[in-house]
Amino acid sequence: MDVARGTRVTPGAPTAPARMLASFTAAAGDGVRGVAIRTGSMAVAAVLAALVHRAHDPGILCPLRRFTGVPCPLCGGTTVFMELGAAHPVRAVLANPFALAGAIGLATAPLGIGRRWWTIEPRARTALLGVVLGLSWLWQLARFGLLQW
């Protein structure tokens, strides 16, 4: 029984917020509407992250970089979103272009890119991800001055 409303609730029945969230997440997988929902959600998250970062800078978030001084291949991923949220697209690209490309791929997946990704042979997907992570790591090492050309 829902004491606040004085009504019976069927066990396992989704509540109104749960139904709304389910319809929202289902729509995020549908074509252009899905891209708009994903892009809008990412934009809101980026702006909120930038506002929080402006008020409180937590310092280095990457545990590998914090304890060893060496950046990981994913370093700069958070910075990408904070810089985009602060309306600094060039700084976002310079922080980690691979993370930015991944976010764009995730946002545009409902247009068919996501289905194409899963049609690639698993070994080829793994190799592609390995190459991208390797390039991302080289980018980060150069960005932090640990890789001299």
Side-chain angles (χ1 to χ4, degrees), residues 23-25 32 36 42 44-45 50 58 68-70 75 88 94 97 99-101 107 111 115 121-122 136 141 144:
S23 67
F24 181 78
T25 55
V32 175
M42 290 172 141
V44 168
T68 67
V70 177
C75 274
H88 300 125
L94 293 175
L100 182 58
L111 297 178
R115 279 189 297 268
E121 178 191 351
S136 180
L141 291 173
F144 287 105

Side-chain angles (χ1 to χ4, degrees), residues 93-113:
V93 171
L94 293 175
N96 192 333
F98 303 97
L100 182 58
I104 292 168
L106 180 65
T108 58
L111 297 178
I113 295 168

